[in-house]
Amino acid sequence: MATLAPDRTKVHKTNLEMIKDQIEKRHVELLHLQFVDIEGSLKQVTVTSEQLGDVVEGKTMFDGSSIKGFTPINKSDLYLLPDLNTFAVLPWTEEDGYAEARFLCSVTNPDGTPFEGDPRTILKNTVDKANEKNFSIQVGPELEFFLFETDAKGDPTNRVADQGGYFEPAPYDLGEKVRLEIYRTLKKMGFVIEASHHEVAIGQHEINFKYADALTTADNATTFKWVVKTIAQQFGLRATFMPKPIFGENGNGMHVNISLFDQKAGKNAFFDEKDSRQLSEEAYQFIAGLLTHVSSFAVFTNPLVNSYKRLVPGYEAPCYIAWSASNRSALVRIPATRGAGTRVEIRCPDPSANPYYAFAAIAQSGMNGIEKEMNAPAEIVDDIFSMDDDERILRGIQNLPTTLGESIRALVDGEIGKQVLGEYALKEYLSLKQEEWNSYRTAVTDWELASYQSKF
């Protein structure tokens, strides 16, 4: 028997009634309408709850020319269309008889059509392409962050909040109480938290939330970073998702676990119990697509000058383009879980990435591998970090880009950027990244002054 699609009108109405009920019961007075710019930075417009009707109909206007990478000043009017599934009361605002809530929104043009530069719309487009081929995209990221002490002005210092190591408990892990409050807050906002622990570097932490469809996960990653920073500030600390804040320590990664669900067959498209690794042909093709395109999408998954100071040998972050069923020195690995949990993990992304761009680029690259029936190269089971250059060359293992400048060139030369972002958003993103690279490339740093000023 065929399964009928849900009546979207009824679903929308049901969600709206639940939202109205929550607003009344929890005394919500202010609604924050949130969206992200092309870097993934969270923005918001705040209205009163009495304006909920106009909000739901997408009538809230803002100046798009003031948002990085959006519209020119002569076409500045844009509108916010909330996703009702993202409604959440903000636990830290709740008082007796008062609370605030938020929606995550897509951005639309004055005529109601999706704005082509909206990162959320860009990821939706990738999801729609997958759906046309009967695939749904499931994503689970692992975002790491550091906690730094602040000075009297509240600015971050270079002192981390603890000296704990990997998986260490209190009293060595002084960030445990901060993670506990982050966990409680996220849980109240509807997150399912799977794990929380101290990471390898001093002052470094990780809290993992349950995987979901690509768009929901990008929304959750955006919310997660906001909540972590907000709660850390309440403890007098500054949380950072900067890829490499401390020289000589591991950096912050955002390993991305991704799988495709075959909607027609009703199963995980990456699982095949008959294969020696229990991976399907689609899984190998998806891996091939990632390895083929990773250099040209690295500017989305690793978007900062600082990102490439994490991608160096000796700190667990991948530097070389290879895959393995278990080898953590490889760019792509396959976690041990099989069956419905079979997934591909790509290890180069970092949490400074705009998650909407990053997930879209990763998914599209993998799907290109399936569509073009690409062949995955041989699995690398040996420690790549211990190989010398000659051995890596002999085995066909190439480097990831080593600078933002290299990534920009690879994006320009590749096909993924235009496929995922389209001409308008790609032009704006490239302009932003080129400006950042040129600023860094021409800057005179303290290291240069210390090394050269007296010597030459």
Side-chain angles (χ1 to χ4, degrees):
M1 180 183 293
T3 302
L4 296 177
D7 185 327
R8 296 299 177 190
T9 303
K10 290 181 179 178
V11 171
H12 181 88
K13 185 177 180 181
T14 301
N15 284 351
L16 184 56
E17 291 305 316
M18 291 173 61
I19 289 167
K20 288 179 178 178
D21 184 60
Q22 284 292 302
I23 287 174
E24 182 179 352
K25 286 184 177 179
R26 299 173 71 174
H27 308 286
V28 174
E29 291 192 16
L30 297 179
L31 300 174
H32 303 293
L33 311 184
Q34 300 181 327
F35 63 102
V36 298
D37 65 14
I38 62 175
E39 290 186 291
S41 297
L42 195 63
K43 308 293 182 181
Q44 70 181 30
V45 177
T46 302
V47 300
T48 64
S49 58
E50 285 80 10
Q51 299 177 66
L52 179 64
D54 286 345
V55 166
V56 170
E57 292 180 14
K59 293 182 178 179
T60 306
M61 187 178 69
F62 71 98
D63 177 8
S65 66
S66 297
I67 303 299
K68 191 175 295 184
F70 275 23
T71 51
I73 196 166
N74 62 323
K75 298 179 180 180
S76 61
D77 290 349
L78 291 173
Y79 289 79
L80 296 174
L81 182 64
D83 184 333
L84 301 191
N85 293 316
T86 66
F87 175 81
V89 177
L90 307 180
W92 63 87
T93 68
E94 290 190 272
E95 302 172 3
D96 186 23
Y98 178 85
E100 300 170 17
R102 75 86 194 261
F103 291 102
L104 280 167
C105 303
S106 296
V107 180
T108 66
N109 297 307
D111 63 1
T113 58
F115 169 55
E116 60 184 334
D118 172 35
R120 206 165 183 270
T121 295
I122 285 166
L123 178 54
K124 282 182 183 179
N125 292 340
T126 301
V127 169
D128 289 344
K129 290 178 188 176
N131 287 338
E132 290 171 4
K133 300 184 181 299
N134 294 307
F135 290 126
S136 64
I137 307 166
Q138 305 295 311
V139 179
E142 305 166 22
L143 290 83
E144 297 169 338
F145 59 94
F146 280 83
L147 294 175
F148 284 91
E149 295 179 357
T150 55
D151 60 21
K153 296 180 180 179
D155 295 325
T157 67
N158 60 2
R159 301 186 303 273
V160 292
D162 68 81
Q163 297 293 316
Y166 192 55
F167 273 29
E168 279 192 323
Y172 307 103
D173 176 11
L174 300 180
E176 191 173 56
K177 59 184 179 180
V178 185
R179 293 202 311 274
L180 176 60
E181 188 59 31
I182 293 169
Y183 158 76
R184 288 171 172 165
T185 302
L186 290 170
K187 186 177 179 182
K188 289 177 182 177
M189 294 177 70
F191 279 67
V192 177
I193 303 299
E194 297 187 326
S196 172
H197 61 87
H198 198 288
E199 257 297 339
V200 173
I202 56 173
Q204 188 184 35
H205 306 270
E206 183 176 316
I207 301 172
N208 296 328
F209 52 88
K210 187 175 177 62
Y211 74 91
D213 66 273
L215 184 62
T216 298
T217 300
D219 288 343
N220 286 344
T222 300
T223 302
F224 177 85
K225 291 196 281 187
W226 178 49
V227 169
V228 168
K229 287 176 173 288
T230 299
I231 301 303
Q233 188 174 39
Q234 293 175 2
F235 284 84
L237 301 172
R238 182 66 62 90
T240 182
F241 293 90
M242 179 181 176
K244 188 78 169 184
I246 306 176
F247 173 74
E249 294 283 353
N250 282 21
N252 284 326
M254 184 182 69
H255 301 164
V256 175
N257 296 269
I258 186 167
S259 62
L260 298 182
F261 184 79
D262 187 330
Q263 299 175 115
K264 185 178 290 185
K267 65 177 184 178
N268 187 319
F270 287 171
F271 176 63
D272 182 356
E273 61 183 354
K274 298 176 182 178
D275 179 69
S276 60
R277 300 184 186 89
Q278 296 188 307
L279 298 177
S280 68
E281 185 177 16
E282 288 85 357
Y284 290 115
Q285 292 168 345
F286 193 93
I287 291 167
L290 292 180
L291 299 182
T292 298
H293 294 299
V294 63
S295 291
S296 56
F297 70 65
V299 74
F300 301 131
T301 56
N302 306 87
L304 307 183
V305 165
N306 183 255
S307 296
Y308 299 86
K309 299 186 178 184
R310 167 181 165 259
L311 300 178
V312 296
Y315 297 98
E316 297 188 13
C319 317
Y320 309 108
I321 303 173
W323 79 278
S324 174
S326 59
N327 183 359
R328 291 178 183 268
S329 68
L331 171 74
V332 173
R333 80 175 192 100
I334 313 299
T337 305
R338 290 295 183 269
T342 307
R343 61 194 187 274
V344 170
E345 178 189 64
I346 180 165
R347 297 172 60 80
C348 66
D350 68 59
S352 70
N354 179 335
Y356 301 94
Y357 284 177
F359 299 163
I362 292 168
Q364 185 60 57
S365 296
M367 288 190 296
N368 277 6
I370 294 174
E371 292 164 13
K372 297 179 181 180
E373 299 182 345
M374 295 181 182
N375 294 316
E379 176 188 4
I380 303 296
V381 297
D382 302 316
D383 180 4
I384 305 173
F385 295 146
S386 66
M387 299 178 189
D388 59 26
D389 291 343
D390 291 339
E391 183 177 357
R392 285 194 294 272
I393 292 171
L394 184 65
R395 299 178 68 166
I397 302 173
Q398 298 181 335
N399 279 46
L400 282 169
T402 60
T403 67
L404 179 61
E406 286 183 23
S407 279
I408 292 170
R409 287 193 294 274
L411 175 62
V412 171
D413 294 340
E415 59 184 277
I416 282 298
K418 189 173 181 179
Q419 279 187 27
V420 174
L421 268 65
E423 290 187 9
Y424 181 87
L426 179 61
K427 179 182 176 182
E428 294 296 328
Y429 191 77
L430 275 171
S431 175
L432 176 71
K433 291 292 106 179
Q434 191 64 63
E435 182 181 350
E436 180 180 346
W437 175 244
N438 286 338
S439 176
Y440 172 76
R441 184 178 57 81
T442 58
V444 178
T445 65
D446 289 343
W447 181 90
E448 291 169 284
L449 292 172
S451 299
Y452 304 140
Q453 192 173 31
S454 298
K455 185 176 181 180
F456 294 101

